[in-house]
Amino acid sequence: MKSIILHSFLIFILFTGCSPEEDVTTITFNLGRDPTGAHYAIIELFEETYPDIKVQVVESPQDASLQHDLYVTRFAGKDNSIDVIALDVIWIAEFARAGWLLPLDDLAVELPMDDFLPGPVEACTYRDSLFAIPWFTDAGLLYYRQDLLNEYGFDEPETWNDLQIIVDTIRRDNPQLSGFLLQAEQYEGLICNVMEFIWSHGGSVWDKSGHWHTATPETEKAIQTLIDFIRTDDIIPRGVLTYQEEESRHVFQDGRAIFLRNWPYVWELANNPATGSNVVGKVGIAPLPGEKPGLHAATLGGWNLGISAYSDHPDESRKLISFFMEYDHMKQFSLDGGRLPTRMSIYKDPDILQRSPHFEDLFEVFINARPRPVTPHYSQISDIMQVYIHRALLERITVREALDRIDGEVLALFERYGK
Amino acid sequence: MRSSKKSKIGFGIFVTVTVLIMIFPFVWQAVTSLKSPGEIFRVPPSIFPDKLYTQNYKDVFTAGVPFHWYLRNSVIVAGLTTLICLIVGSFASYVLARFKFRGQALFLGLLLAVAMFPQVAIISPLFLFFRDIGLLNTYPGLILPYTTFALPLTIWILTSFFRELPVDLEDAALIDGCSPFQSFYRIIVPLAAPGMVTTAILVFIFAWNEFLFALIFNTANHMRTVTVGITMFPGLHEVPWGTIFAASTIITLPLVLMVLVLQKRIVQGLTAGSVKG
Amino acid sequence: MKSRSYLPYYFIAPAAIIIFGIALYPILHTFYISLHQINLKFPDLGMSFIWFENYIRLFRDVRAMSALLNTIFFTVSTVALELIFGMIIALLMDRALRFRGILRATVLIPWAMPTVVAAMLWRWMYNDQSGIINAILVATGVTTEYLQFLAEPALAWVAVIVTEVWKTTPFMALLLLAGLQVIPREVYEASAIDGASKIRTFFTITLPLIKPVLLVALLFRTLDAFRVFDVIFVMTGGGPGNSTESLSLYTYKTMFGALDFGYGSALSILTFVCVILISVLYIKFIGTKTR
């Protein structure tokens, strides 16, 4: 009996799955779920422009690690069901090395690549070939309570020292407020935050000749600063060790913190009463401070469009990517979805500036946002760094020991597999 | 008697405390799902919502995520898995309980081994296998693995139940002229009802809540199941907690109702009547 | 027990076909892969046969051994707690004549919730600012300030164990209850007439009678606990400072993060071997009653 049920289902599914053959090529557009649905409008335009190409949108859960699992499983099986794919900045070197992406140098020739932000382009490049075209970007920013800073007569902090002074002063009268919030749980976001601290102290994970070396005085100082801020609990509350983006946003939005490091998405939410924000109209936004004035750092996020190496329709896929990258289309997508465009000229567009006036001031941040280490090993490196740095933040090991261990394991990886 | 009254009250308190602890998180979730976004993360948390905010529940079905499809898919997959497990499993359990035959211990052992193998490792080969036979994004594509993983538990539970039942009943039935099948369905199954219903509940819940295979095998939106569906609510960085908790409450309630209905069938032991017969 | 030639084999066939048809090949495949060096990121390095090198590496890998110890600790604590609480709840439900249905249905709620959502819910409840647990602890005077549960290794373990025990005790309770239900009332009456106390009755009569079900419940719960993933992944991601990383979490990071399928397969086989050992131990010590 059960086999009859099984068989009926198989037949049912087969029949409902069939569709008549036409002279139409269907390509799949794979991305994480986007509640704004901004991409649908562009795709509609695309299908009108190219009547012989149909685009099937395949949305996965937005969670980056779930998407990564899905794509790894499919690519490992040389699955041809993926054509155009939206890639997280940190996957590109990995997928490129694995041979899962088509090099897009020929496409790049047709596009005005000079107009694209340099950071994302760097993240999309592996061994001098471009494997994805930047679609929209993300960068770490400093949010602050404009009203509080005004009340105490402070300007935006230029250095971490400035930030410390501001927090100390304001908290003296308002001890219930948290000073500076960021994301320091043991997860990918920790590395975003830590890299910003490292870069803003003039440190790096690579040395001048491009070799991996984290155990430098600058990097050590950067992480030690972070630890000191957390330990005293006066500058950074200990809770950040358990926070991801949303937890930190809620505390800030509720009005319980002075500073917040987060992605640009917070801006619209914090200024929207419908989200229950208590800080509507009170929020300022600025580049993150540095050790010295002018040493601003921001970690690059964002998503980029690539083509699967196993796709049966690379030409049609190229057309779709080109289409998204056209000025008008990227502009419309950014407006509808509230996204940061990757083409620099769009940042001067009056419509964009009207919707998001803060883009003008923050353009400096976006143009200088740096990618996390661009290497196929990034996933593993991130994991290694997370483990040791989190231990250092908990003060179970010293910063020096953490960095030495990180260096040891990463160099062993490079030795075993090549960079 | 005084002692029995005291023990009744003590008993009642015990029961109440237990129930409260078990359901508190769920109640907290349901309460939260009725709060507006600003209220949810208030410090200190409010026990009751200021106003009943039902928008979260509306959003579950109107936020651009086809949640009703997901519910349908989960019901079908979990329901059929349970049905198949019970049927196939009870057949196997019956002979394992009643007969001695070669390969019995090996079979039981292998059953366990299969159920206990880390899913992370077998998901890739299984994905390729199912893709090649065209079972991705189908119901059988999930029902088959779920049945595979739930059968060992089914068989182990039912075997232990069947073993408890006295042989005389079947002997009597056979003498009366029943075939082995009839004796199985008419006598054994009703008596093993507690085991059958328990197994049904556990298998259904397992299939309903399974995540990894549902994520990787059924990626098409119209074939997604409800547990993966919940991960479709968050957008880039932003997590709509109210909507997610509302969806979770919606997912859990049918299961609870199902148990309420089914538990009447868990009969208390062997009644005097059946033993006599 | 009669043995009617091929009847048993026919009855077993459907189950056997399904299980071995689906699962046998992947399991063998995993073992095969574990004997090779294969990293998906570096396809040009190919897939070289390296005998048991992955296993040697495994035993030298401090992180793998920590994960194993963490997993053992987690398994022992959760299963012990679930056994105790599950037994208590099952006994309560068995005795409760009124409200039995509602009792059973509500007790099952933790088990009925999807694990991922339950983990998210508890993670939020442990939040150091808006979490209800801190609010309750402070309100009842147990603590004076809000704690960062998930930032202290010891507290994080407590948090994870509490969540897991809450989630899966119903499973134990339900199985044990089913076992209790088949005990005829006459047995209890006889024991009461003999003058045995409730506790004595429990240990000398009830417990032996539910041994088969107890074995199944313990066995499956232990094996599930050993492979714990969702709860830890969602609540702590293996932190703080990687102190709660379980074996399956490490395996997942190895396979899907580092794409090191060879080593990841070896870790899977390690898990598998441990699980087999546990099962053998259980069956030997508790055993099945009728043979």
Side-chain angles (χ1 to χ4, degrees):
Chain A
M1 187 180 54
K2 56 214 160 292
S3 59
I4 298 178
I5 299 178
L6 274 175
H7 275 115
S8 332
F9 259 104
L10 271 171
I11 295 173
F12 174 68
I13 298 304
L14 274 170
F15 272 116
T16 49
C18 279
S19 52
E21 284 290 312
E22 289 169 18
D23 262 336
V24 167
T25 328
T26 309
I27 57 173
T28 59
F29 182 50
N30 301 266
L31 73 164
R33 163 143 170 83
D34 183 355
T36 64
H39 48 292
Y40 285 111
I42 315 291
I43 288 176
E44 240 182 83
L45 284 172
F46 177 78
E47 287 180 340
E48 280 168 31
T49 316
Y50 297 96
D52 55 330
I53 308 181
K54 278 211 95 48
V55 179
Q56 187 191 358
V57 175
V58 179
E59 280 187 326
S60 332
Q62 174 54 41
D63 187 293
S65 51
L66 288 180
Q67 283 189 56
H68 187 260
D69 295 346
L70 267 168
Y71 293 142
V72 164
T73 313
R74 283 185 143 63
F75 281 131
K78 298 185 173 43
D79 207 52
N80 65 352
S81 65
I82 297 179
D83 295 303
V84 178
I85 172 175
L87 301 155
D88 197 349
V89 268
I90 52 176
W91 301 341
I92 295 170
E94 181 188 332
F95 286 11
R97 183 70 176 83
W100 294 340
L101 297 176
L102 282 183
L104 298 179
D105 299 311
D106 49 343
L107 179 60
V109 168
E110 296 167 25
L111 292 171
M113 292 312 295
D114 306 328
D115 193 28
F116 281 83
L117 288 164
V121 173
E122 186 189 335
C124 291
T125 309
Y126 180 66
R127 286 189 177 166
D128 297 324
S129 267
L130 200 64
F131 282 92
I133 313 288
W135 189 25
F136 61 90
T137 190
D138 233 357
L141 299 168
L142 181 73
Y143 292 87
Y144 61 91
R145 289 284 299 278
Q146 182 91 66
D147 57 325
L148 288 173
L149 261 66
N150 285 345
E151 193 184 323
Y152 286 82
F154 282 117
D155 286 329
E156 293 170 3
E158 277 285 319
T159 65
W160 291 114
N161 211 37
D162 290 343
L163 186 134
Q164 189 170 357
I165 293 175
I166 298 176
V167 168
D168 280 336
T169 313
I170 298 184
R171 284 198 81 222
R172 216 172 294 143
D173 299 335
N174 306 283
Q176 79 286 0
L177 288 178
S178 300
F180 176 47
L181 296 175
L182 40 79
Q183 300 85 40
E185 197 188 40
Q186 185 183 323
Y187 79 122
E188 177 61 31
L190 171 65
I191 306 301
C192 295
N193 281 270
V194 166
M195 290 312 297
E196 280 159 357
F197 260 84
I198 294 179
W199 288 326
S200 67
H201 279 77
S204 174
V205 295
W206 307 107
D207 66 17
K208 293 270 188 314
S209 33
H211 292 126
W212 181 271
H213 189 46
T214 59
T216 57
E218 292 86 11
T219 307
E220 214 180 309
K221 180 160 188 223
I223 301 184
Q224 191 60 51
T225 310
L226 183 55
I227 295 176
D228 292 336
F229 279 174
I230 297 179
R231 185 198 308 121
T232 57
D233 212 33
D234 286 339
I235 317 295
I236 298 181
R238 216 172 155 69
V240 301
L241 294 170
T242 64
Y243 289 173
Q244 296 192 10
E245 281 80 358
E246 285 287 271
E247 280 96 349
S248 57
R249 171 175 76 90
H250 288 126
V251 178
F252 183 77
Q253 228 180 253
D254 214 40
R256 287 179 272 127
I258 307 170
F259 289 104
L260 166 72
R261 177 272 175 204
N262 213 319
W263 306 98
Y265 84 106
V266 172
W267 176 252
E268 286 189 16
L269 292 173
N271 282 313
N272 183 356
T275 65
S277 170
N278 288 331
V279 298
V280 177
K282 299 184 190 162
V283 180
I285 182 173
L288 286 162
E291 196 202 1
K292 306 193 205 11
L295 209 54
H296 303 296
T299 301
L300 185 72
W303 293 76
N304 316 275
L305 295 181
I307 304 178
S308 158
Y310 306 111
S311 163
D312 293 328
H313 313 289
D315 295 321
E316 288 84 354
S317 304
R318 282 196 189 89
K319 290 194 180 121
L320 182 60
I321 296 183
S322 282
F323 197 81
F324 266 103
M325 300 306 162
E326 282 178 39
Y327 185 95
D328 292 324
H329 301 143
M330 188 182 277
K331 172 181 159 180
Q332 186 180 342
F333 176 74
S334 306
L335 282 173
D336 293 342
R339 302 260 181 261
L340 265 59
T342 46
R343 287 184 63 167
M344 299 191 280
S345 47
I346 300 186
Y347 284 90
K348 303 197 179 55
D349 192 294
D351 294 325
I352 294 270
L353 287 175
Q354 194 193 22
R355 184 189 198 280
S356 320
H358 53 293
F359 279 7
E360 196 168 0
D361 296 326
L362 292 173
F363 186 64
E364 277 302 304
V365 178
F366 302 146
I367 202 173
N368 290 313
R370 297 163 71 163
R372 285 152 275 172
V374 180
T375 151
H377 295 280
Y378 179 70
S379 192
Q380 220 168 337
I381 291 179
S382 173
D383 181 48
I384 294 171
M385 287 178 74
Q386 285 171 41
V387 170
Y388 290 116
I389 291 182
H390 208 250
R391 276 198 202 142
L393 291 180
L394 288 171
E395 300 198 81
R396 301 197 121 198
I397 58 177
T398 63
V399 181
R400 186 61 204 241
E401 197 187 331
L403 294 177
D404 282 336
R405 282 180 184 265
I406 291 174
D407 282 346
E409 290 190 25
V410 173
L411 288 171
L413 263 185
F414 285 165
E415 205 184 301
R416 189 160 184 193
Y417 293 108
K419 243 162 77 164
Chain B
M1 286 197 302
R2 220 181 297 151
S3 64
S4 98
K5 202 169 191 188
K6 237 201 256 177
S7 74
K8 264 212 175 111
I9 298 177
F11 182 72
I13 296 179
F14 221 50
V15 167
T16 318
V17 168
T18 307
V19 168
L20 280 178
I21 296 180
M22 293 305 252
I23 67 171
F24 173 70
F26 180 74
V27 168
W28 181 236
Q29 175 190 270
V31 164
T32 307
S33 68
L34 290 167
K35 288 184 181 173
S36 63
E39 268 187 83
I40 295 180
F41 293 95
R42 200 186 287 166
V43 173
S46 52
I47 310 242
F48 291 111
D50 294 343
K51 253 200 305 216
L52 278 181
Y53 183 80
T54 54
Q55 185 61 32
N56 287 327
Y57 284 89
K58 294 193 193 119
D59 284 342
V60 170
F61 292 100
T62 59
V65 167
F67 208 67
H68 45 291
W69 283 354
Y70 301 163
L71 278 171
R72 176 201 69 189
N73 295 334
S74 280
V75 168
I76 294 178
V77 168
L80 285 178
T81 304
T82 308
L83 198 62
I84 296 175
C85 269
L86 278 180
I87 296 173
V88 170
S90 54
F91 272 111
S93 304
Y94 178 59
V95 297
L96 282 168
R98 283 281 176 262
F99 298 87
K100 251 191 166 78
F101 55 92
R102 283 175 50 192
Q104 189 168 6
L106 180 67
F107 180 71
L108 274 175
L110 280 175
L111 269 195
L112 257 190
V114 161
M116 297 308 154
F117 204 80
Q119 293 196 329
V120 190
I122 59 177
I123 189 114
S124 266
L126 269 183
F127 169 77
L128 294 176
F129 176 42
F130 274 50
R131 184 198 59 179
D132 293 338
I133 59 178
L135 280 184
L136 288 183
N137 284 316
T138 61
Y139 292 127
L142 288 182
I143 295 176
L144 282 173
Y146 290 174
T147 308
T148 308
F149 295 128
L151 267 177
L153 178 68
T154 308
I155 293 179
W156 271 75
I157 294 180
L158 292 181
T159 306
S160 76
F161 267 88
F162 289 156
R163 279 213 184 109
E164 298 302 306
L165 302 175
V167 196
D168 340 326
L169 288 168
E170 293 148 74
D171 288 348
L174 289 167
I175 290 170
D176 280 353
C178 287
S179 75
F181 276 103
Q182 282 176 315
S183 96
F184 178 60
Y185 273 119
R186 291 247 196 91
I187 316 262
I188 306 300
V189 169
L191 284 177
M196 302 278 277
V197 175
T198 303
T199 309
I201 293 175
L202 293 175
V203 171
F204 190 88
I205 291 182
F206 158 72
W208 185 265
N209 288 339
E210 202 283 333
F211 184 76
L212 189 64
F213 279 80
L215 170 76
I216 302 224
F217 283 26
N218 280 23
T219 51
N221 218 15
H222 61 286
M223 292 302 289
R224 239 187 272 274
T225 58
V226 118
T227 27
V228 180
I230 284 205
T231 63
M232 295 295 285
F233 284 112
L236 182 70
H237 298 309
E238 194 194 336
V239 178
W241 293 93
T243 315
I244 291 181
F245 286 143
S248 171
T249 311
I250 293 177
I251 295 179
T252 317
L253 275 176
L255 297 183
V256 174
L257 288 173
M258 177 193 80
V259 173
L260 253 176
V261 165
L262 281 180
Q263 61 80 30
K264 291 200 179 100
R265 307 242 180 279
I266 301 184
V267 181
Q268 164 65 40
L270 293 170
T271 62
S274 68
V275 171
K276 228 198 295 178
Chain C
M1 303 291 147
K2 298 161 224 161
S3 167
R4 290 164 191 223
S5 55
Y6 296 114
L7 185 70
Y9 296 105
Y10 287 142
F11 271 51
I12 287 224
I17 292 174
I18 294 179
I19 294 176
F20 299 127
I22 304 271
L24 205 57
Y25 166 67
I27 293 179
L28 294 174
H29 180 80
T30 305
F31 184 63
Y32 174 69
I33 299 260
S34 72
L35 299 174
H36 292 75
Q37 154 108 316
I38 171 168
N39 189 315
L40 295 186
K41 294 197 293 272
F42 307 104
D44 44 298
L45 291 181
M47 189 167 130
S48 43
F49 186 69
I50 53 170
W51 283 105
F52 290 95
E53 254 181 65
N54 277 326
Y55 292 96
I56 298 176
R57 176 177 159 195
L58 203 155
F59 287 110
R60 290 217 189 110
D61 186 351
V62 176
R63 194 162 166 189
M65 291 298 115
S66 298
L68 181 60
L69 283 174
N70 287 342
T71 309
I72 293 176
F73 169 66
F74 178 81
T75 304
V76 168
S77 356
T78 52
V79 174
L81 288 171
E82 284 160 25
L83 182 59
I84 297 173
F85 290 130
M87 194 73 238
I88 294 176
I89 294 177
L91 288 170
L92 282 176
M93 291 198 286
D94 189 37
R95 267 191 60 186
L97 288 164
R98 276 211 257 158
F99 309 121
R100 177 187 275 151
I102 300 186
L103 196 56
R104 277 199 209 121
T106 51
V107 157
L108 204 68
I109 284 178
W111 184 248
M113 280 181 74
T115 314
V116 176
V117 181
M120 274 173 59
L121 179 62
W122 278 91
R123 179 191 153 89
W124 174 50
M125 295 203 305
Y126 283 117
N127 185 279
D128 73 317
Q129 299 242 0
S130 53
I132 189 76
I133 291 183
N134 268 316
I136 293 178
L137 286 177
V138 166
T140 54
V142 177
T143 55
T144 47
E145 49 176 30
Y146 280 18
L147 299 167
Q148 293 90 32
F149 277 93
L150 303 178
E152 312 294 331
L155 288 178
W157 269 122
V158 168
V160 165
I161 290 175
V162 165
T163 305
E164 177 78 0
V165 169
W166 173 83
K167 181 92 181 39
T168 51
T169 297
F171 175 88
M172 262 306 193
L174 201 67
L175 273 181
L176 292 175
L177 173 67
L180 287 174
Q181 300 267 256
V182 279
I183 300 178
R185 284 262 165 255
E186 296 91 55
V187 171
Y188 291 124
E189 283 160 22
S191 167
I193 290 173
D194 279 352
S197 74
K198 290 227 166 68
I199 301 189
R200 182 102 185 270
T201 316
F202 175 71
F203 279 105
T204 53
I205 306 214
T206 318
L207 213 48
L209 282 177
I210 59 168
K211 217 161 151 200
V213 173
L214 188 65
L215 168 67
V216 176
L218 273 179
L219 187 58
F220 279 84
R221 263 321 301 156
T222 308
L223 299 182
D224 269 347
F226 201 80
R227 297 171 311 146
V228 66
F229 180 81
D230 289 320
V231 172
I232 298 186
F233 182 70
V234 170
M235 286 183 77
T236 64
N242 221 36
S243 54
T244 59
E245 189 174 66
S246 67
L247 200 51
S248 52
L249 190 58
Y250 184 45
T251 309
Y252 166 79
K253 284 183 186 167
T254 306
M255 288 191 91
F256 284 93
L259 300 190
D260 190 346
F261 269 60
Y263 190 52
S265 299
L267 284 169
S268 302
I269 300 286
L270 170 69
T271 311
F272 183 54
V273 164
C274 288
V275 151
I276 292 184
L277 278 173
I278 295 175
S279 320
V280 165
L281 281 171
Y282 263 118
I283 296 179
K284 256 205 156 53
F285 280 106
I286 307 187
T288 43
K289 205 178 73 155
T290 54
R291 244 318 139 188

